Amino acid sequence: MELLCCEMDRVRRAVPDGNLLHDDRVLQNLLTIEERYLPQCSYFKCVQKDIQPYMRRMVATWMLEVCEEQKCEEEVFPLAMNYLDRFLAGVPTPKTHLQLLGAVCMFLASKLKETIPLTAEKLCIYTDNSIKPQELLEWELVVLGKLKWNLAAVTPHDFIEPILRRLPQPSEKLPLIRKHAQTFIALCATDFKFAMYPPSMIATGSVGAAICGLQQDEEVSSLTGDALVELLAKITNTDVDCLKACQEQIEVVLLSNLQQFRQEQGDGSKSEDELDQASTPTDVRDIDL
Amino acid sequence: MSEPSRDPRPIPRGSKVCRRLFGPVDSEQLRRDCDALMASCVQEACERWNFDFVTETPLEGDFTWERVWGPGLPKGYLSAGPRGIQDNLGGGRLPSSSPALLQGTVQEDHLDLSLSCTLVPRSPERPEVSPGGPSTSQGRKRRQTSMTDFYHSKRRLILSKRKP
């Protein structure tokens, strides 16, 4: 028993399975099923009356901060956003329910992906107790019903390893590229314009943007520019022009986030501690475009 | 549930992340909306499976529902969990729904029973609908549902235009 307690600290995880990551069938199957899990429409236009795009951004930022503070697995946040978008694409919702829904979606995504999931009580505290655990549990069933219990959605994270394994990168550079790509994926999940893009394209664009950004400081890739984009596009069967456009959009989102960050820093209204918490997983500030 | 002191990921004291985003939440409205949405979920499932999941009674439709006896079922379907408790509160409606199925075993029958469904052709009632193809209708006796029943896969045009 005591031994078990000692092991509770760190989450144990399996080593990456090279057989799965290198097998083309796995990547092909992911590409085949990924679009099943996209929201069915651009819901601000056709479903929602009360909820505005800036409110999605507010709740997404809050969700990211919760996931950050709780050190959730990287995929929890994008998966939770996928649930939220799919729910909102089908159910007209008043804005006062939005934070509850965000909490429910994190609750579900955490249970699906984590060894030690977030508890209902903890999520309610993060809403400043504006909702009760009982309400969270009841709405969990509602969201599950509306998502038809289809929770194992494909996210951009599922593509990161298969893509990286197919690039001619020196392996010591991979952790840094992976970390930056994950940051871009989180950024994309906060921005509604990426909500309807296939996860494979977001992943490919994020890896491309990560390598391009890092390349300016140090040699992380033997392939650059058009050759890199073409190889990336080939790996995930993406159109080259679409991929370039996606990568540019990702870089624009990064820039606007950086500007916002610098503004907040300039204001001096927030402490450094707080900014660290509010930022995305890695130091987006270090990426220079 | 668990002792807070053992929480491996406690919420930092005075965390700025704890905040309400859109003002006060109306619990009454939450309850009403929750009930309405649950009712619509139940209704959708009811139409999808021609089965009333509230009273657990089969309805007219594509699927034929029949009871399955306990011994062949995986244990997970037999436990008297919260669902069993609800059943008891519901007031013994299960035995009354089809007494013929309760032959022999009297003790706690409703916990040992489950339902299986099969997709059957409706043709037996009106054979004139498809006179030419009895073989085809026989052929689709059982059909497994797949993800595609729930989600339509479609290609979208991504990124309308690219900045030069």
Side-chain angles (χ1 to χ4, degrees):
Chain A
M1 226 27 217
E2 299 246 53
L3 275 175
L4 253 180
C5 291
C6 290
E7 287 171 9
M8 291 295 275
D9 274 351
R10 274 254 149 256
V11 172
R12 303 191 139 241
R13 50 185 81 236
V15 291
D17 187 338
N19 291 320
L20 286 176
L21 295 173
H22 287 289
D23 193 324
D24 281 333
R25 289 174 300 177
V26 174
L27 182 56
Q28 283 313 314
N29 286 338
L30 281 171
L31 289 168
T32 308
I33 62 169
E34 66 173 340
E35 303 215 358
R36 287 178 200 164
Y37 301 96
L38 291 178
Q40 292 295 295
C41 65
S42 182
Y43 52 80
F44 292 117
K45 283 183 196 140
C46 57
V47 181
Q48 303 300 336
K49 296 193 173 68
D50 197 20
I51 297 176
Q52 304 290 318
Y54 81 88
M55 296 172 187
R56 181 191 182 276
R57 178 180 287 280
M58 276 172 73
V59 78
T61 307
W62 171 73
M63 288 164 69
L64 180 58
E65 288 172 30
V66 173
C67 289
E68 278 293 288
E69 191 164 284
Q70 286 295 306
K71 299 187 173 55
C72 290
E73 297 288 327
E74 293 283 348
E75 57 213 316
V76 170
F77 171 62
L79 187 61
M81 287 308 294
N82 171 274
Y83 298 162
L84 183 68
D85 285 330
R86 280 162 61 202
F87 182 89
L88 292 177
V91 183
T93 306
K95 69 168 187 281
T96 47
H97 294 12
L98 198 52
Q99 192 172 16
L100 166 65
L101 282 175
V104 168
C105 292
M106 284 191 283
F107 191 48
L108 288 169
S110 173
K111 281 203 265 189
L112 197 76
K113 293 289 180 186
E114 301 201 276
T115 321
I116 306 167
L118 298 170
T119 61
E121 291 78 10
K122 193 181 276 184
L123 284 165
C124 289
I125 295 173
Y126 273 119
T127 68
D128 195 21
N129 295 307
S130 61
I131 56 169
K132 299 181 200 67
Q134 185 56 31
E135 290 166 335
L136 189 88
L137 296 179
E138 284 164 6
W139 278 83
E140 181 189 24
L141 269 183
V142 170
V143 172
L144 280 169
K146 289 296 170 189
L147 298 184
K148 305 267 198 284
W149 291 76
N150 273 325
L151 295 194
V154 178
T155 70
H157 282 278
D158 296 319
F159 291 98
I160 292 292
E161 283 313 308
I163 292 171
L164 291 180
R165 299 277 168 146
R166 286 165 175 78
L167 290 177
Q169 303 298 339
S171 59
E172 73 272 14
K173 302 293 182 194
L174 285 181
L176 190 59
I177 297 173
R178 184 183 299 121
K179 196 91 179 101
H180 279 234
Q182 285 171 345
T183 305
F184 282 120
I185 288 171
L187 271 181
C188 290
T190 60
D191 198 315
F192 182 69
K193 68 168 164 286
F194 296 98
M196 316 265 288
Y197 292 5
S200 61
M201 181 180 291
I202 292 172
T204 319
S206 295
V207 171
I211 293 176
C212 284
L214 289 166
Q215 192 73 18
Q216 298 181 345
D217 293 335
E218 53 173 325
E219 172 94 9
V220 293
S221 169
S222 50
L223 278 181
T224 50
D226 284 350
L228 175 67
V229 176
E230 273 162 34
L231 176 60
L232 283 170
K234 206 173 140 216
I235 291 170
T236 50
N237 292 334
T238 312
D239 180 77
V240 174
D241 287 335
C242 283
L243 181 57
K244 280 184 183 168
C246 181
Q247 191 175 320
E248 277 172 22
Q249 289 194 343
I250 292 173
E251 285 160 356
V252 168
V253 171
L254 173 68
L255 267 184
S256 69
N257 272 269
L258 283 177
Q259 276 163 0
Q260 203 181 337
F261 166 77
R262 282 182 188 132
Q263 237 166 21
E264 283 165 5
Q265 205 172 35
D267 289 348
S269 57
K270 292 190 171 187
S271 67
E272 185 61 36
D273 251 10
E274 186 182 342
L275 288 164
D276 269 343
Q277 282 171 7
S279 69
T280 38
T282 52
D283 308 300
V284 282
R285 295 156 263 173
D286 291 346
I287 305 172
D288 206 8
L289 289 175
Chain B
M1 273 195 270
S2 59
E3 304 147 58
S5 58
R6 297 266 292 277
D7 186 348
R9 301 185 288 186
I11 301 176
R13 279 179 66 87
S15 168
K16 299 282 198 308
V17 187
C18 297
R19 58 180 192 261
R20 61 184 71 189
L21 301 177
F22 304 104
V25 177
D26 182 349
S27 291
E28 275 305 303
Q29 196 192 353
L30 268 187
R31 163 119 311 279
R32 282 195 304 274
D33 290 355
C34 181
D35 289 346
L37 285 168
M38 277 313 284
S40 83
C41 285
V42 170
Q43 185 57 31
E44 277 167 30
C46 180
E47 283 161 19
R48 172 81 181 81
W49 298 104
N50 63 267
F51 188 83
D52 188 330
F53 289 92
V54 180
T55 60
E56 299 207 359
T57 33
L59 305 168
E60 277 296 303
D62 289 345
F63 293 96
T64 302
W65 289 85
E66 50 194 66
R67 289 207 178 273
V68 177
W69 291 95
L73 289 173
K75 250 188 171 169
Y77 292 103
L78 299 176
S79 75
R83 208 182 163 76
I85 293 159
Q86 266 179 8
D87 283 353
N88 288 336
L89 292 173
R93 55 195 161 50
L94 267 161
S96 65
S97 63
S98 65
L101 289 163
L102 294 170
Q103 40 186 340
T105 50
V106 188
Q107 75 306 345
E108 296 286 302
D109 283 292
H110 59 289
L111 296 180
D112 292 336
L113 292 171
S114 184
L115 286 155
S116 82
C117 73
T118 317
L119 185 66
V120 291
R122 297 184 195 186
S123 44
E125 282 158 36
R126 5 162 212 170
E128 70 283 356
V129 175
S130 56
S135 59
T136 54
S137 61
Q138 297 290 332
R140 57 188 280 269
K141 186 167 187 265
R142 181 178 276 270
R143 192 194 63 144
Q144 204 166 17
T145 54
S146 65
M147 294 283 219
T148 46
D149 291 342
F150 303 116
Y151 284 93
H152 305 286
S153 178
K154 57 183 176 188
R155 278 264 152 209
R156 282 193 187 75
L157 186 63
I158 310 301
L159 308 175
S160 47
K161 59 179 175 188
R162 173 176 174 239
K163 284 168 221 129

